[in-house]
Coordinates of all heavy atoms in Angstrom, one line a residue:
T195 N -28.8 2.2 21.1 CA -29.0 1.6 22.4 C -29.8 0.2 22.2 O -30.9 0.2 21.6 CB -29.9 2.5 23.3 OG1 -29.2 3.7 23.4 CG2 -30.0 1.9 24.7
W196 N -29.2 -0.8 22.6 CA -29.8 -2.2 22.6 C -30.4 -2.5 24.0 O -29.7 -2.6 25.0 CB -28.8 -3.2 22.2 CG -28.3 -3.2 20.8 CD1 -28.8 -4.0 19.8 CD2 -27.3 -2.4 20.2 NE1 -28.2 -3.7 18.6 CE2 -27.2 -2.7 18.8 CE3 -26.4 -1.5 20.7 CZ2 -26.4 -2.1 18.0 CZ3 -25.5 -0.9 19.8 CH2 -25.5 -1.2 18.5
E197 N -31.7 -2.6 24.0 CA -32.4 -2.8 25.3 C -32.5 -4.3 25.7 O -32.6 -4.5 26.9 CB -33.8 -2.2 25.2 CG -33.9 -0.7 25.0 CD -35.3 -0.2 25.0 OE1 -36.2 -0.9 24.5 OE2 -35.5 0.9 25.5
T198 N -32.4 -5.2 24.8 CA -32.6 -6.6 25.1 C -31.2 -7.3 25.0 O -30.6 -7.3 24.0 CB -33.5 -7.3 24.1 OG1 -34.8 -6.6 24.1 CG2 -33.8 -8.7 24.6
P199 N -30.7 -7.8 26.2 CA -29.4 -8.5 26.1 C -29.4 -9.8 25.5 O -30.5 -10.5 25.5 CB -29.0 -8.6 27.6 CG -30.3 -8.6 28.3 CD -31.3 -7.8 27.5
N200 N -28.3 -10.2 24.8 CA -28.1 -11.5 24.3 C -29.2 -11.9 23.2 O -29.6 -13.0 23.0 CB -28.2 -12.6 25.3 CG -27.1 -12.4 26.4 OD1 -26.0 -12.0 26.1 ND2 -27.4 -12.6 27.6
D201 N -29.6 -10.9 22.5 CA -30.6 -11.1 21.4 C -30.0 -10.4 20.1 O -30.1 -9.2 20.0 CB -31.9 -10.5 21.7 CG -33.0 -10.8 20.7 OD1 -32.6 -11.4 19.6 OD2 -34.2 -10.5 20.9
M202 N -29.5 -11.2 19.2 CA -28.8 -10.7 18.0 C -29.8 -10.2 17.0 O -29.4 -9.4 16.1 CB -28.0 -11.8 17.4 CG -26.9 -12.4 18.3 SD -25.7 -11.1 18.8 CE -24.9 -10.7 17.2
D203 N -31.1 -10.5 17.2 CA -32.1 -10.0 16.2 C -32.7 -8.7 16.5 O -33.5 -8.1 15.7 CB -33.2 -11.1 16.1 CG -32.7 -12.4 15.5 OD1 -31.8 -12.4 14.7 OD2 -33.2 -13.5 15.9
T204 N -32.5 -8.2 17.8 CA -33.1 -7.0 18.2 C -32.4 -5.8 17.5 O -31.2 -5.8 17.2 CB -33.0 -6.8 19.7 OG1 -33.8 -5.6 20.1 CG2 -31.6 -6.6 20.1
N205 N -33.2 -4.8 17.2 CA -32.7 -3.5 16.6 C -32.5 -2.5 17.6 O -33.3 -2.3 18.6 CB -33.7 -3.0 15.5 CG -33.8 -3.9 14.3 OD1 -32.8 -4.5 13.9 ND2 -35.0 -4.1 13.8
P206 N -31.4 -1.7 17.5 CA -31.2 -0.7 18.6 C -32.1 0.5 18.4 O -32.6 0.8 17.3 CB -29.7 -0.3 18.3 CG -29.5 -0.5 16.8 CD -30.4 -1.7 16.5
I207 N -32.3 1.2 19.5 CA -33.0 2.5 19.5 C -32.0 3.6 19.1 O -30.9 3.6 19.6 CB -33.6 2.8 20.8 CG1 -34.7 1.8 21.2 CG2 -34.2 4.2 20.8 CD1 -35.2 2.0 22.6

Side-chain angles (χ1 to χ4, degrees):
T195 306
W196 286 265
E197 294 185 324
T198 306
N200 302 320
D201 186 355
M202 300 299 293
D203 295 327
T204 186
N205 293 320
I207 296 175

